Amino acid sequence: MVRKLSDHAPKRDLGTVANPGNNEFSGNTGLNLNLASSQGATVVTAIGNAWNPLIQGSDIRGKYPTTATVVGPVAAAAGNNYALASGWSLIR
């Protein structure tokens, strides 16, 4: 299942350092999270979640051991953990 956040909220919270998301974004053969909007760019925090392992820098458990900000564009590709439209940022 692809999760698409596409409204005009300036910031979306799927987990922070203080309050990890504990969302399960793993097990998909398609794209897990697609960040795009016709309403403009935004920042999404997605810290403390489980993603597909060994994809886009995640470790063997599907975790990102170091918090980092990824700035779009990141192209959509089957099996990837996330895609970002131009101007979007993902803190993971």
Side-chain angles (χ1 to χ4, degrees):
M1 179 174 150
V2 174
R3 287 124 177 125
K4 186 168 184 176
L5 301 176
S6 59
D7 67 18
H8 53 82
K11 189 168 186 179
R12 303 291 255 154
D13 178 359
L14 297 174
T16 65
V17 171
N19 188 15
N22 295 313
N23 296 297
E24 184 72 34
F25 293 116
S26 64
N28 293 313
T29 57
L31 183 64
N32 281 311
L33 187 66
N34 187 15
L35 304 178
S37 174
S38 61
Q39 302 295 318
T42 194
V43 175
V44 175
T45 59
I47 298 170
N49 298 301
W51 303 82
N52 286 330
L54 304 174
I55 304 291
Q56 293 177 299
S58 64
D59 67 16
I60 191 75
R61 299 173 304 127
K63 300 287 186 170
Y64 289 102
T66 304
T67 299
T69 301
V70 180
V71 178
V74 174
N80 272 359
N81 288 323
Y82 52 81
L84 288 78
S86 183
W88 281 68
S89 297
L90 174 66
I91 303 171
R92 53 115 180 107

Coordinates of all heavy atoms in Angstrom, one line a residue:
M1 N 0.8 -1.2 0.0 CA 0.0 0.0 0.0 C 0.9 1.2 0.0 O 1.8 1.4 0.8 CB -0.9 0.0 1.2 CG -1.8 1.2 1.4 SD -2.8 0.9 2.8 CE -3.1 2.5 3.3
V2 N 0.7 2.1 -0.9 CA 1.4 3.4 -1.0 C 0.7 4.4 -0.1 O -0.5 4.6 -0.2 CB 1.5 3.9 -2.4 CG1 2.2 5.3 -2.5 CG2 2.3 2.9 -3.3
R3 N 1.4 5.1 0.7 CA 0.9 6.2 1.5 C 1.2 7.5 0.8 O 2.4 7.7 0.6 CB 1.4 6.1 2.9 CG 0.9 5.0 3.8 CD 2.1 4.2 4.3 NE 1.6 3.1 5.1 CZ 1.9 1.9 4.9 NH1 2.6 1.5 3.9 NH2 1.5 1.0 5.7
K4 N 0.3 8.2 0.5 CA 0.5 9.5 -0.2 C 0.0 10.6 0.7 O -1.2 10.7 1.0 CB -0.2 9.5 -1.6 CG 0.2 10.7 -2.4 CD -0.2 10.6 -3.8 CE 0.3 11.9 -4.6 NZ 0.0 11.8 -6.0
L5 N 0.9 11.5 1.0 CA 0.5 12.7 1.8 C 0.5 13.9 0.8 O 1.5 14.2 0.2 CB 1.6 13.0 2.8 CG 1.8 12.0 3.9 CD1 2.9 12.4 4.8 CD2 0.5 11.7 4.6
S6 N -0.7 14.4 0.6 CA -0.8 15.4 -0.5 C -1.7 16.6 -0.2 O -2.4 17.1 -1.1 CB -1.4 14.6 -1.8 OG -2.6 14.1 -1.5
D7 N -1.7 17.0 1.0 CA -2.4 18.2 1.3 C -1.4 19.4 1.5 O -0.2 19.2 1.3 CB -3.4 18.1 2.4 CG -2.8 17.9 3.8 OD1 -1.5 18.2 3.9 OD2 -3.4 17.5 4.7
H8 N -1.9 20.5 1.8 CA -1.1 21.7 1.9 C -0.6 22.1 3.3 O -0.1 23.1 3.5 CB -1.8 22.9 1.3 CG -3.1 23.2 1.9 ND1 -3.3 23.9 3.0 CD2 -4.3 22.8 1.5 CE1 -4.6 23.9 3.3 NE2 -5.2 23.3 2.4
A9 N -0.7 21.1 4.2 CA -0.1 21.4 5.6 C 1.4 21.6 5.5 O 2.1 20.9 4.8 CB -0.5 20.2 6.5
P10 N 1.9 22.6 6.2 CA 3.3 22.9 6.1 C 4.2 21.8 6.7 O 5.4 21.7 6.3 CB 3.5 24.2 6.9 CG 2.3 24.2 7.8 CD 1.2 23.5 7.1
K11 N 3.7 21.0 7.6 CA 4.6 19.9 8.2 C 3.7 18.8 8.6 O 2.6 19.0 9.2 CB 5.3 20.5 9.4 CG 6.4 19.5 9.9 CD 7.3 20.2 10.9 CE 8.4 19.3 11.3 NZ 9.3 19.9 12.2
R12 N 4.2 17.6 8.3 CA 3.4 16.3 8.7 C 4.3 15.5 9.6 O 5.5 15.4 9.4 CB 3.1 15.5 7.4 CG 2.3 16.3 6.4 CD 1.0 16.6 6.8 NE 0.1 15.7 6.1 CZ -1.1 15.3 6.5 NH1 -1.5 15.7 7.7 NH2 -1.8 14.5 5.8
D13 N 3.7 14.9 10.6 CA 4.4 14.1 11.6 C 4.1 12.6 11.5 O 3.0 12.2 11.9 CB 4.1 14.7 13.0 CG 4.7 14.0 14.1 OD1 5.4 13.0 13.9 OD2 4.5 14.4 15.3
L14 N 5.0 11.8 11.1 CA 4.9 10.4 11.1 C 5.9 9.8 12.1 O 6.2 8.6 12.1 CB 5.2 9.8 9.7 CG 4.2 10.2 8.7 CD1 4.6 9.7 7.3 CD2 2.8 9.7 9.0
G15 N 6.4 10.7 13.0 CA 7.4 10.3 14.0 C 8.5 11.3 14.2 O 9.0 11.9 13.2
T16 N 8.9 11.6 15.4 CA 9.9 12.5 15.7 C 10.9 11.8 16.7 O 10.7 10.7 17.2 CB 9.4 13.8 16.4 OG1 8.8 13.4 17.7 CG2 8.3 14.5 15.6
V17 N 12.0 12.5 17.0 CA 13.0 12.0 17.9 C 12.3 11.8 19.3 O 12.5 10.8 20.0 CB 14.3 12.9 18.0 CG1 15.2 12.5 19.2 CG2 15.0 12.9 16.7
A18 N 11.6 12.8 19.7 CA 10.9 12.8 21.0 C 9.7 11.8 21.0 O 9.4 11.3 22.1 CB 10.4 14.2 21.4
N19 N 9.1 11.5 19.9 CA 7.9 10.6 19.8 C 8.0 9.8 18.5 O 7.4 10.1 17.5 CB 6.7 11.5 19.8 CG 5.4 10.6 20.0 OD1 5.5 9.5 20.3 ND2 4.3 11.2 19.7
P20 N 8.9 8.7 18.6 CA 9.0 7.9 17.4 C 7.7 7.4 16.8 O 6.8 7.1 17.6 CB 9.9 6.8 17.9 CG 10.6 7.3 19.1 CD 9.6 8.2 19.7
G21 N 7.6 7.3 15.5 CA 6.4 6.9 14.9 C 5.9 5.5 15.1 O 4.8 5.2 15.2
N22 N 6.9 4.5 15.1 CA 6.6 3.1 15.2 C 5.6 2.6 14.1 O 4.9 1.7 14.4 CB 6.1 2.8 16.6 CG 7.1 3.0 17.7 OD1 8.3 2.6 17.5 ND2 6.8 3.7 18.7
N23 N 5.6 3.3 13.0 CA 4.8 2.8 11.8 C 5.6 1.7 11.1 O 6.8 1.7 11.1 CB 4.6 4.0 10.9 CG 3.8 5.1 11.5 OD1 2.6 4.9 11.9 ND2 4.4 6.3 11.7
E24 N 4.8 0.8 10.5 CA 5.4 -0.2 9.7 C 5.2 0.1 8.2 O 4.1 0.0 7.7 CB 4.7 -1.6 10.1 CG 5.2 -2.8 9.4 CD 6.6 -3.2 10.0 OE1 6.8 -3.0 11.2 OE2 7.4 -3.7 9.2
F25 N 6.3 0.5 7.6 CA 6.3 0.8 6.2 C 7.1 -0.3 5.4 O 7.5 -0.1 4.3 CB 7.0 2.1 5.9 CG 6.3 3.3 6.4 CD1 6.9 4.1 7.4 CD2 5.1 3.7 6.0 CE1 6.2 5.2 7.9 CE2 4.4 4.8 6.5 CZ 5.0 5.6 7.4
S26 N 7.2 -1.5 5.9 CA 7.9 -2.6 5.3 C 7.0 -3.6 4.6 O 5.8 -3.6 4.9 CB 8.9 -3.2 6.3 OG 8.1 -3.9 7.3
G27 N 7.6 -4.5 3.8 CA 6.8 -5.5 3.2 C 6.2 -5.2 1.9 O 5.5 -6.1 1.3
N28 N 6.3 -4.0 1.4 CA 5.7 -3.7 0.1 C 6.7 -3.9 -1.0 O 7.9 -3.6 -0.9 CB 5.3 -2.2 0.1 CG 4.2 -1.9 1.1 OD1 3.2 -2.7 1.1 ND2 4.3 -0.9 1.9
T29 N 6.2 -4.4 -2.1 CA 7.1 -4.5 -3.3 C 7.0 -3.2 -4.1 O 7.8 -3.0 -5.0 CB 6.7 -5.7 -4.2 OG1 5.3 -5.6 -4.5 CG2 6.9 -7.0 -3.4
G30 N 5.9 -2.4 -3.9 CA 5.8 -1.1 -4.5 C 6.5 0.0 -3.7 O 7.3 -0.3 -2.8
L31 N 6.1 1.2 -3.9 CA 6.6 2.3 -3.2 C 5.9 2.5 -1.9 O 4.7 2.3 -1.8 CB 6.4 3.6 -4.0 CG 7.0 4.9 -3.5 CD1 8.5 4.9 -3.4 CD2 6.5 6.0 -4.5
N32 N 6.6 2.7 -0.8 CA 6.0 2.8 0.6 C 5.4 4.2 0.8 O 4.3 4.3 1.4 CB 7.0 2.5 1.6 CG 7.2 1.0 1.8 OD1 6.3 0.3 1.9 ND2 8.5 0.6 1.8
L33 N 6.1 5.3 0.6 CA 5.6 6.6 0.9 C 5.9 7.5 -0.2 O 7.1 7.7 -0.7 CB 6.4 7.1 2.2 CG 5.9 8.4 2.8 CD1 4.5 8.3 3.3 CD2 6.9 8.7 4.0
N34 N 4.9 8.2 -0.8 CA 5.1 9.1 -1.9 C 4.7 10.5 -1.5 O 3.5 10.7 -1.2 CB 4.2 8.6 -3.1 CG 4.4 9.4 -4.3 OD1 5.4 10.1 -4.5 ND2 3.5 9.3 -5.3
L35 N 5.7 11.4 -1.4 CA 5.4 12.7 -0.9 C 5.3 13.7 -2.1 O 6.4 14.0 -2.8 CB 6.5 13.2 0.0 CG 6.7 12.2 1.2 CD1 7.9 12.7 2.1 CD2 5.5 12.1 2.0
A36 N 4.1 14.2 -2.4 CA 3.9 15.0 -3.5 C 2.6 15.8 -3.3 O 1.8 15.4 -2.6 CB 3.8 14.2 -4.8
S37 N 2.5 17.0 -3.9 CA 1.3 17.8 -3.8 C 1.3 18.9 -4.9 O 2.3 19.4 -5.2 CB 1.3 18.5 -2.4 OG 0.2 19.3 -2.4
S38 N 0.1 19.2 -5.3 CA -0.1 20.3 -6.2 C -0.2 21.6 -5.4 O -0.2 22.7 -6.0 CB -1.3 20.1 -7.1 OG -2.4 20.0 -6.3
Q39 N -0.3 21.5 -4.1 CA -0.5 22.6 -3.2 C 0.8 23.2 -2.7 O 0.8 24.2 -2.0 CB -1.3 22.2 -2.0 CG -2.7 21.7 -2.4 CD -3.6 22.7 -3.0 OE1 -3.6 23.9 -2.6 NE2 -4.3 22.3 -4.1
G40 N 2.0 22.6 -3.1 CA 3.3 23.1 -2.7 C 4.0 22.2 -1.8 O 3.4 21.2 -1.4
A41 N 5.2 22.5 -1.5 CA 6.1 21.6 -0.8 C 5.9 21.6 0.7 O 5.2 22.5 1.2 CB 7.6 21.9 -1.1
T42 N 6.3 20.6 1.4 CA 6.2 20.5 2.8 C 7.3 19.7 3.4 O 8.1 19.1 2.7 CB 4.8 19.9 3.2 OG1 4.6 20.2 4.6 CG2 4.7 18.5 2.9
V43 N 7.4 19.6 4.7 CA 8.4 18.8 5.4 C 7.6 17.7 6.1 O 6.6 17.9 6.7 CB 9.2 19.6 6.4 CG1 10.1 18.7 7.3 CG2 9.9 20.7 5.8
V44 N 8.1 16.4 6.0 CA 7.5 15.3 6.7 C 8.6 14.7 7.6 O 9.7 14.4 7.2 CB 7.0 14.3 5.7 CG1 6.5 13.0 6.4 CG2 5.9 14.8 4.8
T45 N 8.2 14.5 8.9 CA 9.1 13.8 9.8 C 8.6 12.4 9.9 O 7.4 12.1 10.0 CB 9.2 14.4 11.2 OG1 7.8 14.5 11.8 CG2 9.7 15.9 11.2
A46 N 9.5 11.4 9.8 CA 9.2 10.0 9.8 C 10.3 9.3 10.5 O 11.0 8.4 9.9 CB 9.0 9.5 8.4
I47 N 10.5 9.6 11.8 CA 11.6 9.0 12.6 C 11.0 7.9 13.4 O 9.9 8.0 13.9 CB 12.2 10.1 13.5 CG1 12.8 11.2 12.6 CG2 13.3 9.5 14.4 CD1 13.3 12.4 13.3
G48 N 11.8 6.8 13.6 CA 11.4 5.7 14.4 C 10.5 4.7 13.8 O 9.7 4.1 14.5
N49 N 10.5 4.6 12.5 CA 9.6 3.7 11.8 C 10.4 2.5 11.2 O 11.6 2.5 11.2 CB 8.9 4.4 10.6 CG 8.0 5.6 11.2 OD1 7.1 5.4 11.9 ND2 8.4 6.8 10.7
A50 N 9.7 1.5 10.8 CA 10.3 0.3 10.2 C 10.0 0.4 8.7 O 8.8 0.5 8.3 CB 9.7 -1.0 10.8
W51 N 11.0 0.3 7.9 CA 11.0 0.4 6.4 C 11.5 -0.9 5.8 O 11.9 -1.8 6.5 CB 11.8 1.6 5.9 CG 11.5 2.9 6.5 CD1 11.9 3.4 7.7 CD2 10.7 3.9 6.0 NE1 11.4 4.6 8.0 CE2 10.6 5.0 6.9 CE3 10.0 4.1 4.7 CZ2 9.9 6.2 6.6 CZ3 9.3 5.2 4.5 CH2 9.3 6.3 5.4
N52 N 11.4 -1.0 4.5 CA 12.0 -2.1 3.8 C 13.5 -2.1 4.1 O 14.2 -1.1 4.0 CB 11.8 -2.0 2.3 CG 10.4 -2.4 1.9 OD1 9.7 -3.2 2.6 ND2 10.0 -1.8 0.8
P53 N 14.1 -3.2 4.6 CA 15.5 -3.3 4.9 C 16.5 -3.1 3.8 O 16.2 -3.6 2.6 CB 15.7 -4.6 5.6 CG 14.5 -5.4 5.2 CD 13.4 -4.5 4.8
L54 N 17.6 -2.5 4.0 CA 18.7 -2.3 3.1 C 18.3 -1.6 1.8 O 18.8 -1.8 0.7 CB 19.3 -3.7 2.7 CG 19.8 -4.5 4.0 CD1 20.3 -5.8 3.6 CD2 20.9 -3.7 4.7
I55 N 17.3 -0.7 1.9 CA 16.8 0.1 0.8 C 17.0 1.6 1.2 O 16.6 2.0 2.3 CB 15.3 -0.1 0.5 CG1 15.1 -1.6 0.2 CG2 14.8 0.8 -0.7 CD1 15.7 -2.1 -1.1
Q56 N 17.6 2.4 0.3 CA 17.7 3.8 0.5 C 18.4 4.2 1.9 O 18.0 5.1 2.6 CB 16.4 4.6 0.4 CG 15.9 4.5 -1.1 CD 14.5 5.2 -1.2 OE1 13.5 4.8 -0.6 NE2 14.4 6.2 -2.0
G57 N 19.4 3.3 2.2 CA 20.2 3.6 3.4 C 19.6 3.0 4.7 O 20.3 3.2 5.8
S58 N 18.5 2.3 4.7 CA 18.0 1.6 5.9 C 18.9 0.4 6.2 O 19.5 -0.2 5.4 CB 16.6 1.2 5.7 OG 16.4 0.2 4.7
D59 N 18.9 0.1 7.5 CA 19.8 -1.1 7.9 C 19.0 -2.4 7.8 O 17.9 -2.4 7.2 CB 20.3 -0.9 9.4 CG 19.2 -0.9 10.4 OD1 18.1 -1.4 10.2 OD2 19.5 -0.4 11.6
I60 N 19.6 -3.5 8.2 CA 19.1 -4.8 8.1 C 17.7 -5.0 8.8 O 16.9 -5.8 8.4 CB 20.1 -5.9 8.6 CG1 19.7 -7.3 8.2 CG2 20.2 -5.8 10.1 CD1 19.9 -7.6 6.8
R61 N 17.4 -4.2 9.8 CA 16.1 -4.2 10.4 C 15.1 -3.2 9.8 O 14.0 -3.1 10.3 CB 16.3 -3.8 11.9 CG 17.2 -4.8 12.7 CD 17.5 -4.3 14.1 NE 18.1 -3.0 14.1 CZ 17.6 -2.0 14.8 NH1 16.6 -2.1 15.6 NH2 18.2 -0.8 14.8
G62 N 15.5 -2.5 8.8 CA 14.6 -1.5 8.1 C 14.6 -0.2 8.9 O 13.7 0.6 8.7
K63 N 15.6 0.1 9.7 CA 15.6 1.3 10.5 C 16.7 2.2 9.9 O 17.6 1.8 9.3 CB 16.0 1.0 12.0 CG 15.0 0.1 12.7 CD 13.8 0.8 13.0 CE 12.9 0.0 13.9 NZ 11.7 0.7 14.4
Y64 N 16.5 3.5 10.1 CA 17.5 4.5 9.7 C 18.2 4.9 11.0 O 17.6 5.6 11.9 CB 16.9 5.7 9.0 CG 16.4 5.4 7.7 CD1 15.0 5.2 7.4 CD2 17.3 5.3 6.6 CE1 14.6 4.8 6.1 CE2 16.8 4.9 5.3 CZ 15.5 4.7 5.1 OH 15.1 4.4 3.9
P65 N 19.4 4.3 11.3 CA 20.1 4.5 12.6 C 20.5 6.0 12.9 O 20.6 6.4 14.0 CB 21.3 3.6 12.5 CG 21.5 3.4 11.1 CD 20.2 3.5 10.4
T66 N 20.7 6.8 11.8 CA 21.0 8.2 12.0 C 19.9 9.1 11.4 O 19.5 8.8 10.2 CB 22.4 8.5 11.3 OG1 23.4 7.6 11.8 CG2 22.8 9.9 11.5
T67 N 19.5 10.0 12.1 CA 18.5 11.0 11.6 C 19.1 11.8 10.5 O 20.2 12.3 10.6 CB 17.9 11.9 12.7 OG1 17.3 11.0 13.7 CG2 16.9 12.8 12.1
A68 N 18.4 11.9 9.3 CA 18.9 12.7 8.2 C 17.7 13.3 7.5 O 16.6 12.8 7.6 CB 19.7 11.8 7.2
T69 N 18.0 14.4 6.8 CA 17.0 15.1 6.0 C 17.3 14.8 4.6 O 18.4 15.1 4.1 CB 17.0 16.6 6.3 OG1 16.7 16.8 7.7 CG2 15.9 17.3 5.4
V70 N 16.3 14.3 3.9 CA 16.4 14.0 2.4 C 15.6 15.0 1.7 O 14.4 15.2 2.1 CB 15.9 12.6 2.1 CG1 16.0 12.3 0.6 CG2 16.6 11.5 2.9
V71 N 16.1 15.7 0.7 CA 15.5 16.8 0.0 C 15.1 16.3 -1.4 O 16.0 15.7 -2.1 CB 16.3 18.0 0.0 CG1 15.7 19.1 -0.8 CG2 16.6 18.5 1.4
G72 N 13.9 16.5 -1.8 CA 13.5 16.0 -3.2 C 14.0 16.9 -4.3 O 14.5 18.0 -4.0
P73 N 14.1 16.4 -5.5 CA 13.3 15.2 -5.9 C 14.1 13.9 -5.7 O 15.3 13.9 -5.8 CB 13.1 15.5 -7.4 CG 14.2 16.3 -7.8 CD 14.6 17.1 -6.6
V74 N 13.3 12.9 -5.3 CA 13.7 11.5 -5.3 C 12.7 10.8 -6.1 O 11.5 10.7 -5.7 CB 13.8 11.0 -3.8 CG1 14.2 9.5 -3.8 CG2 14.8 11.7 -3.0
A75 N 13.2 10.2 -7.2 CA 12.2 9.5 -8.1 C 11.6 8.3 -7.5 O 12.1 7.6 -6.7 CB 13.0 9.1 -9.4
A76 N 10.3 8.1 -7.9 CA 9.6 6.9 -7.5 C 10.1 5.7 -8.2 O 10.4 5.7 -9.4 CB 8.1 7.1 -7.8
A77 N 10.3 4.6 -7.4 CA 10.7 3.3 -8.0 C 10.2 2.2 -7.2 O 10.2 2.3 -5.9 CB 12.3 3.2 -8.1
A78 N 9.7 1.1 -7.8 CA 9.1 0.0 -7.1 C 10.2 -0.5 -6.1 O 11.3 -0.7 -6.4 CB 8.7 -1.1 -8.1
G79 N 9.7 -0.8 -4.9 CA 10.6 -1.4 -3.9 C 11.2 -0.3 -3.0 O 11.8 -0.7 -1.9
N80 N 11.2 0.9 -3.4 CA 11.9 2.0 -2.6 C 11.0 2.3 -1.4 O 9.8 2.0 -1.4 CB 12.1 3.2 -3.4 CG 13.4 3.2 -4.1 OD1 14.2 2.3 -4.0 ND2 13.7 4.3 -4.9
N81 N 11.6 2.9 -0.4 CA 10.9 3.3 0.8 C 10.1 4.6 0.6 O 9.1 4.7 1.2 CB 11.9 3.4 2.0 CG 12.3 2.0 2.5 OD1 11.6 1.1 2.5 ND2 13.6 1.9 2.8
Y82 N 10.7 5.5 -0.2 CA 10.0 6.8 -0.3 C 10.4 7.4 -1.7 O 11.4 7.1 -2.3 CB 10.4 7.7 0.8 CG 11.9 7.9 1.0 CD1 12.6 8.7 0.2 CD2 12.5 7.1 2.0 CE1 14.0 8.8 0.4 CE2 13.9 7.2 2.2 CZ 14.6 8.1 1.4 OH 16.0 8.2 1.6
A83 N 9.5 8.3 -2.1 CA 9.8 9.2 -3.2 C 9.3 10.6 -2.8 O 8.4 10.7 -2.0 CB 9.0 8.8 -4.5
L84 N 10.0 11.6 -3.3 CA 9.7 13.0 -2.9 C 9.7 13.8 -4.2 O 10.6 13.8 -5.0 CB 10.8 13.6 -2.0 CG 10.9 13.1 -0.6 CD1 11.6 11.7 -0.5 CD2 11.7 14.1 0.2
A85 N 8.7 14.7 -4.2 CA 8.6 15.6 -5.3 C 9.6 16.8 -5.0 O 10.1 16.9 -3.9 CB 7.2 16.2 -5.4
S86 N 9.9 17.5 -6.0 CA 10.8 18.6 -5.9 C 10.3 19.6 -4.8 O 9.1 20.0 -4.8 CB 10.9 19.4 -7.2 OG 11.9 20.4 -7.2
G87 N 11.2 20.0 -3.9 CA 10.9 20.9 -2.9 C 10.5 20.3 -1.6 O 10.4 20.9 -0.6
W88 N 10.1 19.0 -1.6 CA 9.7 18.3 -0.4 C 10.9 17.8 0.4 O 12.0 17.5 -0.2 CB 8.8 17.1 -0.8 CG 7.4 17.5 -1.1 CD1 7.0 18.1 -2.2 CD2 6.3 17.1 -0.3 NE1 5.6 18.3 -2.1 CE2 5.2 17.7 -1.0 CE3 6.1 16.4 0.9 CZ2 3.9 17.5 -0.5 CZ3 4.8 16.3 1.3 CH2 3.7 16.8 0.6
S89 N 10.8 17.7 1.7 CA 11.8 17.1 2.5 C 11.3 16.1 3.4 O 10.1 16.2 3.9 CB 12.4 18.2 3.4 OG 13.0 19.2 2.6
L90 N 12.1 15.0 3.6 CA 11.7 13.9 4.5 C 12.8 13.8 5.6 O 14.0 13.7 5.3 CB 11.6 12.6 3.8 CG 11.4 11.4 4.6 CD1 10.0 11.4 5.3 CD2 11.6 10.1 3.8
I91 N 12.4 14.0 6.8 CA 13.4 13.8 7.9 C 13.1 12.4 8.4 O 12.0 12.1 9.0 CB 13.1 14.9 9.0 CG1 13.3 16.3 8.5 CG2 14.1 14.6 10.2 CD1 12.9 17.4 9.4
R92 N 14.1 11.6 8.2 CA 13.9 10.1 8.6 C 15.1 9.6 9.4 O 16.2 10.1 9.4 CB 13.7 9.3 7.3 CG 14.8 9.5 6.3 CD 15.6 8.2 6.1 NE 16.6 8.3 5.1 CZ 17.9 8.3 5.4 NH1 18.3 8.3 6.7 NH2 18.8 8.3 4.5

